Amino acid sequence: MSKIFVTKSFLPPKEEYFSYISKTWDNGILTNGGPLLLELEEKLRDYLEVKNCQFVTNGTIALQLALDGLGIKEGEVITTPFSYVATTSSILWERCEPVFVDIERDNFTIDVKKIEAAITPNTRAIMAVHVFGYACDVEKIEKLAEKHNIKVIYDAAHAFGVRYKGKSLLDYGDVSTLSFHATKLFHTVEGGACIAKDDKVNARIDLSKRFGHHYNDFIQVGINGKNSEFHAAMGLANFPYIEHIIESRRKISELYDKLLDGLVQLPKKQKDLEYNYAYYPVVFKSEKTLLKVFDVLAAEYIFPRRYFYPSLNNLPYVKKQSCPVSEDISPRIACLPLFVGLEHSVVEKIAELIRNNV
Ligand SMILES: *Cc1c(COP(=O)(O)O)cnc(C)c1O
């Protein structure tokens, strides 16, 4: 029996990938801002409705480049405990201190009502996450940031293609970052992007990602955040399938919605959100129930994923801080399998096994 995991990377027809790669054999350019990379960036700017978009090595470097690009080299960064570890680790890697603010129960995004109490004279930025593609309270966050003169970074690794109040969700904040890792909705095998609102910040990110120098002019400390023509080729080959990917995931998600109604807690639908169906998170009544469901699914070779667990304020290398809501949800939440090609009969089986065990 073949195993079913929480996701399965979409792969375009081989010939379509190879036709891009054969251009690389013709022009001999493998990396350093080649034509395929420029073509992908242009397509992304257009599709995502943003002015600036730089294709970088991955979503974690994108977060580090965002902090660096905004000139944040020390101090406190307010962030969420409910995310993938990269959100916290990028703050620490940039020698800043993560200050955790608890989350909302409905959509698992940072609780905007609790941000102001966490702001101190050392606060430099808010790094919030559009968890599972659900929008943070971007308007209130913007107001707080203006009032206290701090920057806003959105880890938008889950928010590819999401629109909010009639515009791209990626257009909010000073910098938004994307991940194009193989497990994400739209992928380039490994990859990510920085979307900066201000052209100067965009230019600084561009310089930092190329070792901080222009030919023989060494301007600032940099890193290697450039991505390659081979990764850009995967992005270009996947590009025409975005609508198909989102549409198939929508159908599967709606089937889950129908079958799981009343059995588990689902995220609250946000009005004004054009969603991308990036994940299918469910909250069980207890961790014990979650573990029991995982056992019965594993017996059928079905492997959902605990996501996000643990709550990041409990990482062994951060200062202890309390976030009761995140600590309550984290042990009880899981993402169910969701990918193009997942058979509806499997979704029905998953739902039935959940129904019989909650
Ligand atoms: C995947 C992910 C990242 C990291 O992206 P990589 O491309 O794997 O480095 C960061 N934040 C969140 C919320 C993610 O899901």
Side-chain angles (χ1 to χ4, degrees), residues 58-60 83-84 86-87 129 155 157-158 179 181 184 191 307:
N58 57 61
T60 307
S83 182
Y84 184 57
T87 314
V129 181
D155 178 342
H158 300 174
S179 166
H181 182 255
K184 302 292 186 336
Y307 205 58

Side-chain angles (χ1 to χ4, degrees), residues 11 85 93 120 163 189 205 252 327 329 334 345:
L11 282 168
V85 69
W93 200 263
T120 75
R163 301 180 86 248
V189 187
I205 291 172
I252 296 165
E327 286 166 62
I329 293 198
S345 61

